[in-house]
Amino acid sequence: MRDIIKMVIVLGLIAGVAGALLAGVRMGTMEKIEYQELKYVKGPAIMEVLKGCTNNPIKDRFKLKYGEKEMNFFPAVFDGKLNVVAFETTGGGFGGDIGMIIAVNLEKDTVTGIGVTTHKETPGVGTLVQDSESFKNSVKGLSVNQPIKVKNDGGKVDAVTGATVTSRGVCEGATRGSEIYRKLKNDILAKAKDIK
């Protein structure tokens, strides 16, 4: 009986030490793992919408709470001034959520770029939106103070032929991103002051 108790105590200690080590490793590498995910999974879309910036938006990122969710914001310096911020948003597509990055000019409150990161749209149809430069360009310069819609819905964006549902989904994501930006603009500007 005494041996069994001793064995249970030893196993408990080993499990406790192993758990503490794993928790420590997780805490110690969490930031590096997040950085790697951002750099290689979402990074291409982030760098596309912030093309030409002179800082490292992924390294300079900051977090803000939006509702219950903590979001990453990627500040971008152009002409020596931090005047654009990018962040993630989502819209509803034909096959599910469309993950995307939207970039907004902090002085003009206009969209400076969008990039699709994840989607489940039909290959060769819905994916046309992801690659269409004319579609992405038609969103640039639009105000974040008004809903962003395709022309068929009374907006200014040209839908991609054959991919109207996906085009609408991306516009919905841009509108959702605009709402996030408007609600957090003061917090974004406060954080941006610390970044050079």
Side-chain angles (χ1 to χ4, degrees), residues 105-124:
N105 184 300
L106 296 168
E107 295 167 349
K108 298 176 182 173
D109 292 341
T110 55
V111 177
T112 61
I114 56 166
V116 174
T117 55
T118 57
H119 64 82
K120 295 176 184 169
E121 303 301 283
T122 309

Side-chain angles (χ1 to χ4, degrees), residues 1-2 7 16 18 35 41 56 62 73 82-84 88 90 92 102 127 133 157 164 172 174 181 186 193:
M1 183 69 178
R2 198 172 168 180
M7 193 168 70
Y35 179 79
V41 178
N56 181 342
F62 57 85
F73 288 81
L82 196 160
N83 47 18
V84 176
E88 290 183 82
T90 57
I102 182 171
T127 53
E133 289 302 318
V157 179
T164 306
E172 179 191 314
Y181 171 78
N186 290 337
K193 283 180 186 172

Side-chain angles (χ1 to χ4, degrees), residues 106-154:
L106 296 168
E107 295 167 349
K108 298 176 182 173
D109 292 341
T110 55
V111 177
T112 61
I114 56 166
V116 174
T117 55
T118 57
H119 64 82
K120 295 176 184 169
E121 303 301 283
T122 309
V125 181
T127 53
L128 293 173
V129 173
Q130 184 175 12
D131 302 325
S132 172
E133 289 302 318
S134 64
F135 176 78
K136 291 186 235 176
N137 286 335
S138 68
V139 179
K140 287 182 183 177
L142 295 179
S143 172
V144 296
N145 295 313
Q146 295 184 357
I148 295 171
K149 298 177 181 175
V150 295
K151 286 182 178 174
N152 290 350
D153 297 335

Side-chain angles (χ1 to χ4, degrees), residues 66-89:
Y66 181 72
E68 296 297 314
K69 189 177 170 189
E70 193 168 55
M71 296 179 61
N72 279 308
F73 288 81
F74 306 94
V77 175
F78 291 92
D79 299 324
K81 232 167 110 178
L82 196 160
N83 47 18
V84 176
V85 68
F87 52 94
E88 290 183 82
T89 182

Side-chain angles (χ1 to χ4, degrees), residues 3-19:
D3 288 342
I4 292 174
I5 292 171
K6 201 173 172 182
M7 193 168 70
V8 167
I9 291 171
V10 169
L11 284 174
L13 284 172
I14 290 171
V17 169

